[in-house]
Amino acid sequence: MKRTLYEIGSILAGALLLAVGFNMLLIPHQLLAGGMSGVAMLVGYFTNWNIGVMYLLFNIPVIVWGLVAIGKRFIFLSLISVGATTWFMQLVPTTPIANEPILAAVFGGVIIGIGAGLSLRAGGSTGGFDIVGSIVTRNRDFPLGSFIFILNGLVILALGYYKENWDLALYSMLSIYVSSKLVDAIHIRHVKVTAFIVTKEKDLLVEHLLKNRGVTIMKAEGAYSRQEKDVLMVVTTRYELAELKESIRVLDPNAFVNIVETVGVLGQFRRH
C-alpha cells in the first residue's frame, strides 16, 4: 500500500512539473515538447484549442491500444499521469516566467525532463510515444530512439514551416534534447535492460516472470558461502523495469539483482 501511494505521489509530482514546464515556459513562447504533448501544442498554436484537453484526447487511443496490447500496471499509472497533467494544466496559469525563448527552452526542458523521469521511475509514463515504445519493443529489438527522433523532427519542422520562424523550431529541439538528457539521468538511457537475479526462489520467480517475458536459468555458487544458487537472466524494457523490480521485491526480498543497460539484442528476445 505504501509503495502504491509512493508511486502515485511521484506520478502526481511529475504531472505538476510537466504542467509548469508546459504552461509557464514552453507554451507562452510557442515552443514544443517532445512526443504527444508536442503534437497537442502544435495543433493548439494554430487553432487556439485547449492544449491540455487535446493532450488528453490524443493520448486516449494510445492508452486504449496499450490496455489491449499490455494490459498492465504501466498503463494504469500512465493514465493517472496523463489525466493529472491535463488537470494541472487547467490550474497552472499560462504565464511566462522567462522572457528569453532560449531560457524557456532550457529550463522548460529541465522541468519536463524531471517530471517525465519521475513518472518512469514510478513505473508509468507521460503517455504518447512512451506507450508506443513499450508496445513495439516488447518482442523485438526496434530502433525506438531513431523512430521517436523522426516523429519529433517532423512535428518541429511543421512548426518552423507554418510559423515561418525557424528560431522556434531550433529552440524546441534544444528543449527536447535537454528533457531527454534529464530523463536519462533520472531513469536509464537505453530502451532495453538486462537483469541478473541471484535467488533461492527460482521456481516462484520463473513461474511469475514467464507470464510476460523469457527467462534464462544459470547455476552459480557463492564464493564465500559455497551455497548453490540460481541466476535468472531477464531482458526487458525500461518501461517495464519498475514492475520487474517490484515483482522481485515481493517474491524474493533477499534476491541480489544486477541491472545492466543493453545496447542491442540478437535472436529471440521474447518468448510467448
Side-chain angles (χ1 to χ4, degrees):
M1 183 64 180
K2 289 183 179 179
R3 180 70 182 177
T4 301
L5 292 176
Y6 168 79
E7 291 169 347
I8 293 176
S10 295
I11 286 177
L12 291 178
L16 178 59
L17 289 174
L18 287 172
V20 171
F22 293 159
N23 282 9
M24 305 188 78
L25 288 162
L26 299 191
I27 293 177
H29 294 279
Q30 297 202 321
L31 303 178
L32 297 180
M36 203 64 72
S37 56
V39 178
M41 289 176 185
L42 181 64
V43 175
Y45 296 155
F46 291 101
T47 62
N48 290 322
W49 293 345
N50 188 292
I51 294 176
V53 173
M54 282 190 296
Y55 173 69
L56 175 63
L57 293 178
F58 289 164
N59 270 293
I60 287 177
V62 180
I63 290 173
V64 172
W65 183 24
L67 285 173
V68 174
I70 303 175
K72 287 189 175 182
R73 184 183 185 85
F74 172 73
I75 297 299
F76 171 71
L77 294 175
S78 298
L79 179 60
I80 293 177
S81 175
V82 171
T85 301
T86 300
W87 182 58
F88 284 132
M89 287 182 72
Q90 312 311 308
L91 301 179
V92 176
T94 310
T95 304
I97 57 176
N99 294 324
E100 295 295 329
I102 190 170
L103 293 176
V106 171
F107 288 99
V110 168
I111 293 175
I112 292 167
I114 293 173
L118 287 175
S119 294
L120 282 171
R121 286 198 66 170
S125 75
T126 57
F129 295 167
D130 282 338
I131 295 177
V132 175
S134 177
I135 295 171
V136 301
T137 57
R138 283 172 68 82
N139 301 308
R140 58 185 63 87
D141 191 19
F142 186 81
L144 181 66
S146 300
F147 176 70
I148 291 179
F149 176 79
I150 291 171
L151 291 180
N152 284 333
L154 292 174
V155 176
I156 290 171
L157 286 174
L159 175 69
Y161 178 78
Y162 288 109
K163 284 286 185 181
E164 297 184 351
N165 186 341
W166 292 102
D167 285 350
L168 295 179
L170 294 174
Y171 288 140
S172 297
M173 290 179 63
L174 176 62
S175 177
I176 293 172
Y177 175 79
V178 171
S179 65
S180 67
K181 289 301 178 183
L182 261 294
V183 170
D184 293 345
I186 294 174
H187 193 43
I188 56 173
R189 180 163 56 93
H190 290 288
V191 174
K192 291 187 178 65
V193 296
T194 299
F196 293 93
I197 309 164
V198 182
T199 179
K200 292 183 179 180
E201 302 291 343
K202 179 193 72 175
D203 295 335
L204 196 61
L205 279 169
V206 168
E207 181 183 1
H208 176 78
L209 294 174
L210 281 177
K211 295 177 182 177
N212 302 299
R213 51 181 63 84
V215 183
T216 298
I217 303 174
M218 298 175 286
K219 291 295 182 180
E221 179 182 324
Y224 178 77
S225 65
R226 297 298 179 182
Q227 294 182 352
E228 287 192 358
K229 295 183 180 181
D230 295 292
V231 179
L232 309 182
M233 184 181 75
V234 180
V235 179
T236 188
T237 68
R238 74 175 183 177
Y239 306 108
E240 301 167 279
L241 180 57
E243 183 180 350
L244 173 62
K245 291 194 290 187
E246 177 64 13
S247 298
I248 298 170
R249 187 189 66 82
V250 171
L251 296 174
D252 185 5
N254 297 317
F256 173 80
V257 185
N258 181 30
I259 299 171
V260 296
E261 295 178 338
T262 302
V263 176
V265 177
L266 299 176
Q268 190 177 31
F269 171 43
R270 190 73 62 125
R271 199 195 85 169
H272 294 282

